[in-house]
Amino acid sequence: LASASLAQGLSSARSVALGAGGMALAKGVDAARFNPANLGFGEYRASGIELVGVGANVSNNSFTLDDYNKYTGAFLTDADKEDILNKVADEGLYLNIDAEATAMAISLGSIVVGVSGNGIADINLNKDLLELVLNGNTFADTIEITGSYSEAVAYGSAYLSYGRAIYKSGARELAIGTTFRYLRGIAVERVVELEGMAATFATGFEGEGSMVIQTATGGSGYAVDLGASLKLNDNYTVGVRMRNIFSSLTWNKDCEEHGYNFSFDTMTVDNMEEDYIVSDDYSIDIDDFSTNLPSVLNVGVANTTGSLLWAVDWEQGFRRATGVSSKPRISAGVEWSLIGSMPLRVGYSTGGNRNSAFSFGSGFHLPVFYVDYAVVTGTSFSGYSSK
């Protein structure tokens, strides 16, 4: 969907409405989320408290809400099954869950402090498994589970952001900034090994497979973001931010490894009930282990003045990891403040490992407080196009 990598930024309704972008527009507490260098500019600073921000996303890469309504509970013809399988990418059915909540983010000029919680899960199911469910096994057919994976992580963080201007010439100004986060691991689950196959022959079924999962329920670590922002003039700002340029999260509570192995040879209808499948499983304690939050590069440009603001962002991960893709993602958004207390926002994002999607939002901005909200659809304005 339109979520930022590792769910960071989902709790900013303004950013979600702008296609999960707008880093060159981010002010106050939002600057800490997207580019702390913005806090070096006087007009980007704010003094106030964001009481709470919450965002959540559940999505897949294949089926829209319209597909779900069409096929759920229906009798599936051969044409229906073929249509369902054609919608699934060759790499499989990808499921993603993101959530972020922030509480008591305090902005004091060039400094922002706050607390947040993040959770994300990525699951990929091999296309062969889906075909088996829909069509059953056929003679001389081989089913692979290689390519399936599952990863999930949840953590809380306390963060401090600071920005400072280092150069100014007329309207042009350059600022740098950093965000330091203390991480408290809540839970992690990752499949470190998954392979297997099953084949159908005239003599029966043959197959084997194994799976190894590592889990933990507590840990601690840190992450550091670095950013730079340049005001080209009074109207335009560009920015660059490297998220998690340094990070480490050591898991040291209830660290366990769970394994499962199975095999069978020439299994038939006659012998399948005679404990013909040889299998074993285990759960053992393991040493502490470390993970890191993947680094992500963001670049953005925005028009920052007038009643019609716009922003374009580019996001680039460097490897496939939980919530991150090595494919670039582009987002663009517009904010129209014809009525100053009720800004109207629309955005679009595409690329990466997320669906292409439109987003919309607004809010109520009064002198003492504000409330923003946003929703995301799919490749059209209709919610039925949402995956």
Side-chain angles (χ1 to χ4, degrees):
L1 232 84
S3 63
S5 62
L6 280 171
Q8 191 171 336
L10 261 181
S11 61
S12 169
R14 186 190 192 198
S15 174
V16 171
L18 295 174
M23 65 174 293
L25 291 174
K27 302 180 179 181
V29 294
D30 268 354
R33 296 184 181 107
F34 297 100
N35 192 354
N38 290 359
L39 297 171
F41 302 141
E43 60 269 37
Y44 280 71
R45 297 171 181 170
S47 294
I49 300 175
E50 184 182 82
L51 297 178
V52 65
V54 177
N57 152 54
V58 179
S59 62
N60 77 96
N61 65 342
S62 302
F63 305 114
T64 65
L65 179 59
D66 193 45
D67 295 327
Y68 179 85
N69 292 336
K70 178 180 179 181
Y71 291 121
T72 299
F75 175 81
L76 299 180
T77 65
D78 289 341
D80 292 334
K81 295 176 182 178
E82 183 178 3
D83 181 52
I84 290 173
L85 288 172
N86 287 339
K87 292 178 182 294
V88 179
D90 292 339
E91 57 266 27
L93 174 62
Y94 175 76
L95 308 173
N96 167 251
I97 301 172
D98 303 295
E100 181 182 62
T102 59
M104 297 302 291
I106 303 172
S107 177
L108 299 171
S110 60
I111 296 175
V112 174
V113 294
V115 178
S116 67
N118 298 75
I120 187 165
D122 286 348
I123 302 170
N124 196 76
L125 300 179
N126 187 292
K127 193 172 182 178
D128 283 356
L129 297 176
L130 299 176
E131 189 166 2
L132 175 65
V133 171
L134 289 172
N135 296 325
N137 60 290
T138 57
F139 176 67
D141 191 18
T142 299
I143 299 168
E144 295 275 358
I145 64 173
T146 304
S148 299
Y149 59 82
S150 172
E151 300 176 45
V153 63
Y155 61 91
S157 62
Y159 58 89
L160 168 67
S161 295
Y162 174 74
R164 178 184 178 88
I166 60 173
Y167 169 81
K168 185 172 183 179
S169 177
R172 184 164 297 185
E173 191 173 6
L174 175 65
I176 58 174
T178 184
T179 296
F180 177 84
R181 284 175 284 146
Y182 168 74
L183 307 178
R184 191 67 182 174
I186 299 172
V188 64
E189 174 272 327
R190 58 178 185 174
V191 176
V192 296
E193 179 184 321
L194 178 62
E195 57 184 8
M197 57 81 66
T200 309
F201 301 101
T203 55
F205 301 97
E206 296 181 8
E208 61 180 0
S210 64
M211 178 172 62
V212 177
I213 300 173
Q214 291 181 344
T215 61
T217 59
S220 60
Y222 68 91
V224 179
D225 302 344
L226 296 179
S229 292
L230 175 64
K231 287 179 58 181
L232 299 174
N233 50 45
D234 290 333
N235 300 316
Y236 298 98
T237 299
V238 297
V240 59
R241 187 272 309 268
M242 180 67 79
R243 184 186 309 153
N244 304 323
I245 190 170
F246 307 110
S247 73
S248 179
L249 183 50
T250 299
W251 299 92
N252 53 20
K253 182 180 179 182
D254 299 330
C255 298
E256 295 181 339
E257 180 176 284
H258 311 274
Y260 178 75
N261 301 282
F262 73 89
S263 65
F264 53 90
D265 185 18
T266 60
M267 184 175 69
T268 67
V269 172
D270 295 327
N271 64 24
M272 66 187 305
E273 296 181 358
E274 300 175 1
D275 296 327
Y276 199 78
I277 298 178
V278 178
S279 66
D280 66 270
D281 60 86
Y282 66 88
S283 293
I284 59 174
D285 295 333
I286 59 175
D287 294 335
D288 301 351
F289 61 92
S290 296
T291 60
N292 60 11
L293 304 183
S295 298
V296 179
L297 175 67
N298 297 88
V299 180
V301 58
N303 170 38
T304 60
T305 59
S307 60
L308 185 66
L309 309 180
W310 57 260
V312 178
D313 287 51
W314 176 64
E315 178 179 283
Q316 178 66 62
F318 301 99
R319 60 184 173 92
R320 196 213 70 77
T322 310
V324 175
S325 170
S326 59
K327 300 177 182 178
R329 184 169 183 83
I330 297 175
S331 60
V334 175
E335 179 179 276
W336 187 33
S337 299
L338 181 62
I339 302 175
S341 60
M342 294 182 61
L344 301 177
R345 305 178 180 117
V346 61
Y348 182 77
S349 56
T350 186
N353 63 346
R354 299 291 194 267
N355 301 319
S356 298
F358 282 99
S359 51
F360 309 89
S362 184
F364 302 98
H365 288 213
L366 299 176
V368 179
F369 71 93
Y370 70 91
V371 176
D372 284 330
Y373 59 89
V375 295
V376 180
T377 62
T379 53
S380 75
F381 293 166
S382 169
Y384 289 101
S385 68
S386 142
K387 292 181 178 179

